[in-house]
Amino acid sequence: MKLIRTQNAVGHVLCHDMTQIIPEQYKDARFRKGHIVTEEDVPVLLAMGKENLYVWEKAEGMLHENEAAERLAALCRGAHMTTTPVKEGKIELKATADGLFRVDSARLRAVNAIDELMIATRHGNTPVRAGDKLCGTRCIPLVIDEAKLIAAEQAAGGAPILELLPYKLKRAAVITTGSEVFHGRITDSFTPVVERKLNSYGIEMTAHITVDDGLENIRTAIDEMHRRDVELILCTGGMSVDPDDNTPGAIKRSGARIVTYGAPVLPGAMFLLGYFDDGVPIMGLPGCVMYAGATIFDLVLPRIAAGVEMARDDFVDMGEGGLCLGCGACHYPICPFGK
């Protein structure tokens, strides 16, 4: 660092905080360490009694922390995201729309493997709302070798590391199975739960039917719902391996391509996902969705709502973090479940 006249400090980087005191009004750092002095700052600094300032000496190939944070944020920023103003070498990205947040984990690791810089994100494949914080970026020292930022840009590969996909599905059909509900022996408490979860992603239950047990009854209902103007079909109940649980067999007979029947997630192991040739997804929802705070349905629905087609490997990856801890009061998604 070097000592220079305040009038000559424009464009230089402060080496320490500069505190301003206004009796009975203000006492705080008016200018923070790392601040770049502007023309407008000079009279304020002089009024604070700062005739001289300690500043960092500029060197070719070295970047100030604010510029480094801006370049890191640019590596992350995809559509439907906005940046906060840079502050003390840190920038945050926030969502401008509701949707599914995704992270390219391999490229994020490659960037974070470079010394003296960092990007911290929330978990990928999770739902976010407009205004939610997505990530923060900064470099560790006050100044950094530009070569490290160039290496980070190369590791990022020219495409945003982060992605936000707004929800696109709008219409769903629900098929409620079970003789006890069909014959009115019990009240259907499953469908209201499903409808509420659908609504939270902007999806309306535009068709609903209750059918008696039996493979052909359920298959016929699936065929009928598939002919409706819907973008998602959900079958509730009858998903276990008991002989009279016919929902999985009915979905298979409907002609849907089965992605998975069973998943390494508790609650929700007996979940089924398939797709029809026209791209419409169909799910078989196990009974736990009706009463558990968070289940596999909560992990899958945001992706489906955003129009992401899921594969078998997506479910294989759910094993780590797929165990709900059964807290007395459910705090999902502020918990490790599904992450």
Side-chain angles (χ1 to χ4, degrees):
M1 62 183 179
K2 64 179 179 181
L3 185 67
I4 62 174
R5 299 281 295 172
T6 298
Q7 292 90 336
N8 300 328
V10 174
H12 288 271
V13 180
L14 294 178
C15 289
H16 57 87
D17 292 349
M18 311 291 288
T19 300
Q20 183 180 37
I21 301 175
I22 301 176
E24 299 181 1
Q25 294 184 38
Y26 183 87
K27 181 182 179 181
D28 198 0
R30 179 63 183 270
F31 302 102
R32 297 285 184 183
K33 173 184 175 181
H35 176 73
I36 300 175
V37 180
T38 67
E39 290 280 1
E40 293 77 15
D41 297 335
V42 172
V44 179
L45 288 163
L46 292 174
M48 292 167 58
K50 305 299 181 182
E51 297 284 342
N52 301 285
L53 301 173
Y54 280 103
V55 298
W56 288 101
E57 291 193 78
K58 293 183 178 180
E60 188 69 26
M62 299 298 289
L63 298 178
H64 179 252
E65 60 177 350
N66 287 355
E67 185 178 354
E70 289 170 349
R71 287 174 65 167
L72 288 172
L75 299 184
C76 298
R77 185 178 179 181
H80 313 292
M81 302 178 194
T82 188
T83 56
T84 61
V86 63
K87 182 179 180 182
E88 299 176 2
K90 182 175 71 174
I91 293 178
E92 294 177 348
L93 265 65
K94 294 187 176 182
T96 60
D98 296 355
L100 177 72
F101 176 64
R102 303 209 296 180
V103 179
D104 189 316
S105 301
R107 290 192 291 135
L108 177 64
R109 285 194 296 270
V111 172
N112 278 330
I114 299 169
D115 191 29
E116 295 190 326
L117 53 80
M118 56 78 64
I119 300 170
T121 78
R122 66 196 297 147
H123 280 287
N125 282 320
T126 53
V128 297
R129 299 294 184 188
D132 282 354
K133 186 187 303 184
L134 304 178
C135 82
T137 71
R138 72 175 306 163
C139 77
I140 306 306
L142 183 60
V143 292
I144 188 171
D145 188 340
E146 186 178 16
K148 294 186 177 182
L149 270 297
I150 294 173
E153 289 161 350
Q154 292 173 342
I161 294 173
L162 309 182
E163 184 178 31
L164 200 167
L165 302 175
Y167 303 127
K168 57 189 298 186
L169 271 62
K170 300 298 181 184
R171 302 175 304 279
V174 176
I175 300 169
T176 302
T177 70
S179 60
E180 67 280 20
V181 178
F182 180 77
H183 292 291
R185 299 186 183 108
I186 66 169
T187 301
D188 176 13
S189 55
F190 206 146
T191 302
V193 173
V194 172
E195 187 173 16
R196 184 172 65 250
K197 289 181 182 288
L198 289 172
N199 290 344
S200 68
Y201 295 102
I203 303 173
E204 182 183 357
M205 184 180 71
T206 57
H208 177 233
I209 188 172
T210 301
V211 299
D212 201 354
D213 287 325
L215 191 149
E216 283 304 311
N217 290 331
I218 301 171
R219 186 195 62 78
T220 299
I222 293 172
D223 290 344
E224 179 184 340
M225 293 297 103
H226 192 205
R227 288 192 294 270
R228 302 282 189 95
D229 183 23
V230 297
E231 301 162 294
L232 170 64
I233 299 173
L234 303 172
C235 300
T236 68
M239 289 300 301
S240 76
V241 293
D242 294 344
D244 59 347
D245 282 337
N246 301 131
T247 303
I251 295 175
K252 292 175 183 177
R253 286 199 186 182
S254 72
R257 171 179 57 86
I258 306 302
V259 173
T260 187
Y261 173 36
V265 176
L266 291 172
M270 307 307 292
F271 174 84
L272 184 150
L273 174 68
Y275 288 92
F276 290 101
D277 290 341
D278 58 4
V280 172
I282 181 169
M283 299 186 204
L285 302 182
C288 60
V289 174
M290 177 171 49
Y291 58 81
T295 71
I296 190 169
F297 188 43
D298 299 282
L299 307 184
V300 172
L301 183 56
R303 305 193 205 189
I304 299 298
V308 174
E309 182 170 336
M310 298 187 66
R312 171 65 182 168
D313 284 348
D314 293 319
F315 292 93
V316 172
D317 292 341
M318 289 182 182
E320 182 177 359
L323 177 65
C324 175
L325 301 181
C327 304
C330 181
H331 299 291
Y332 182 83
I334 310 174
C335 71
F337 179 62
K339 304 180 180 68

